[in-house]
Amino acid sequence: MTTLTLLGTDGATRAVALNPPPAFAKPRTPLQTRVAYAAAHVVPKAHADNTPGQPAEIDWDATLAFRHHVWSWGLGVADAMDTAQRNMGLDAAATRELISRSAAEAASAGGRLVVGVNTDHVDDAAISLEQVVDAYVEQLHHAEDAGAGAVLMASRHLARAAQNADDYRRVYREVLSKAGAPVVLHWLGTAFDPALEGYFGSTDTDAASATLLQIIEANRDRVLGVKMSLLDADAEIAVRRRLPESARMFTGDDFHYVGLIEGDAEGHSDALLGAFAALAPNASAAIQALDANDLDAYRAILGPTEELSRQVFAAPTYYYKTGVAFLSWLNGHQAAFQMVGGLHAARSLPHLSRIVELANRSGALERPELAAARWHELLTINGVDVSAKTDGAAARSAHADAGEARTADATPSEAVPA
């Protein structure tokens, strides 16, 4: 196959050249200059009732194999977080099982793992601050007992219950006092979850940042760092420059990560990104370039992926998970383009087409022949006439290769030490 058919918003199709896969190599030693986690998604059973409101039925083999794929490229996995569809299809029981299974898998593979800790197992919409603390601690202890590091996620319950910045300082102080090891805090912006408006006690970013920094300063020995997901590079840099030396900034900015990870004379951000779930080989190769002090190569590898990430995370941003799962399917990491809660239907075909175009352009199609065959099949079953497509033998060969690759990824030979 030499061409790729794309679909415009007007229904017109056009063909572009299908690029060869990038020649990235997996690292032989742990990545050095940056700490990078990919926030991973979950793969449901294709035959399950993957419709809105139904409990998640996870394909554990495919879900855990994807984590091995991430680890094999030298990245850590951030699990049971927003990318895994928490509060958008992944129910509490499935979340607990995901944490337990991923932690066991990380231990067996020597892979880095942190997991999300929240209050979302509580069904009541409104609870007291004391109940918020108890809910956080319950999930925190489950994560720690499983052997995982913790990311203290922004809580909708806390956003509803807190009346001011003092309430945030109090809740975080009490929860952090119960932590067995330093945790990563998380500030998730309203683009990802509108229910979190006014988090840390203010809708003013500077005021909220001041409260966050006070929490970190008052709990230095309990806070490893903070993940900021505001899609505001200037706000992240401002907080980063004021962090105590004991705390890392983990960028969650899927729009500006190239410059934030590169950093400046005053520091850099590490990474905890949903985008890196779709870009593990690119992210690994870019950080390997930084390790080799080759800034030009870093920019050349990672720079082109930012436009792709902006498309995946386009408004409404909270549907970005659809793009992550779509790319996972295109790249052969799951057998079907299915998501829990029916979220695979959250993006239009032209939106997905643009993802295909930018992934092809930026080197994010790990196996282009397979990706093109799957994309063309998706277009065809939706009534789009595909003029640039593989013959049957090529398509069958691409699908056969996908099965072999999933098996190989399940037992990587190169994983990141914990």
Side-chain angles (χ1 to χ4, degrees), residues 10-350:
D10 59 356
T13 60
R14 59 188 175 91
V16 299
L18 181 66
N19 293 327
F24 297 145
K26 294 181 178 180
R28 295 185 177 276
T29 58
L31 302 178
Q32 298 293 326
T33 55
R34 301 293 186 272
V35 176
Y37 289 92
H41 74 302
V42 294
V43 182
K45 295 177 181 176
H47 62 270
D49 187 1
N50 297 318
T51 55
Q54 296 305 308
E57 293 187 53
I58 305 300
D59 179 339
W60 292 114
D61 289 341
T63 294
L64 296 174
F66 186 81
R67 282 132 184 85
H68 279 285
H69 161 70
V70 173
W71 287 322
S72 76
W73 282 98
L75 306 180
V77 170
D79 219 334
M81 297 196 63
D82 192 57
T83 308
Q85 294 182 242
R86 289 189 76 152
N87 300 308
M88 292 188 74
L90 193 73
D91 55 272
T95 298
R96 287 178 64 87
E97 186 171 1
L98 175 62
I99 289 171
S100 297
R101 285 177 177 265
S102 290
E105 210 72 16
S108 69
R112 284 184 176 174
L113 177 73
V114 292
V115 300
V117 168
N118 209 318
T119 63
D120 50 359
H121 63 289
V122 178
D123 291 331
D124 294 337
I127 58 178
S128 68
L129 292 177
E130 291 78 9
Q131 290 171 309
V132 169
V133 172
D134 291 342
Y136 261 139
V137 171
E138 181 180 342
Q139 288 200 22
L140 175 62
H141 287 170
H142 172 70
E144 291 180 338
D145 289 347
V151 178
L152 207 60
M153 299 177 71
S155 163
R156 290 177 175 177
H157 288 113
L158 179 53
R160 295 188 193 103
Q163 299 298 309
N164 49 47
D166 284 340
D167 286 342
Y168 284 91
R169 285 188 283 264
R170 170 192 163 190
V171 166
Y172 277 92
R173 181 179 64 252
E174 293 187 19
V175 174
L176 290 170
S177 72
K178 304 294 198 305
V183 309
V184 177
L185 304 185
H186 187 195
W187 188 0
L188 191 67
T190 54
F192 293 93
D193 189 347
L196 298 175
E197 184 175 10
Y199 210 77
F200 291 116
S202 179
T203 56
D204 178 78
T205 301
D206 289 341
S209 296
T211 300
L212 168 65
L213 287 162
Q214 289 164 2
I215 291 169
I216 294 171
E217 183 63 39
N219 300 277
R220 279 192 177 213
D221 60 336
R222 303 281 179 159
V223 177
L224 177 65
V226 58
K227 166 180 161 64
M228 282 186 65
S229 302
L230 301 188
L231 304 180
D232 183 337
D234 290 339
E236 178 175 319
I237 292 170
V239 172
R240 186 176 78 196
R241 290 175 176 170
R242 297 171 62 191
L243 285 174
E245 292 183 0
S246 57
R248 293 178 178 270
M249 172 60 74
F250 292 93
T251 186
D253 189 334
D254 302 278
F255 286 0
H256 310 102
Y257 53 82
V258 177
L260 289 165
I261 294 170
E262 178 180 329
D264 54 32
E266 297 184 55
H268 66 266
S269 296
D270 292 302
L272 202 164
L273 288 162
F276 277 10
L279 300 168
N282 310 66
S284 173
I287 296 174
Q288 290 178 61
L290 284 181
D291 289 351
N293 200 30
D294 190 341
L295 189 56
D296 289 340
Y298 166 81
R299 292 170 178 167
I301 294 166
L302 205 57
T305 69
E306 209 166 72
E307 187 177 4
L308 168 61
S309 184
R310 285 174 175 267
Q311 175 68 12
V312 171
F313 286 78
T317 300
Y318 42 79
Y319 287 141
Y320 77 86
K321 297 95 168 169
T322 303
V324 172
F326 177 62
L327 284 165
S328 171
W329 173 63
L330 289 183
N331 284 325
H333 298 296
Q334 57 193 77
F337 179 35
Q338 288 275 311
M339 299 177 69
V340 297
L343 209 62
H344 48 279
R347 295 295 202 185
S348 69
L349 281 175

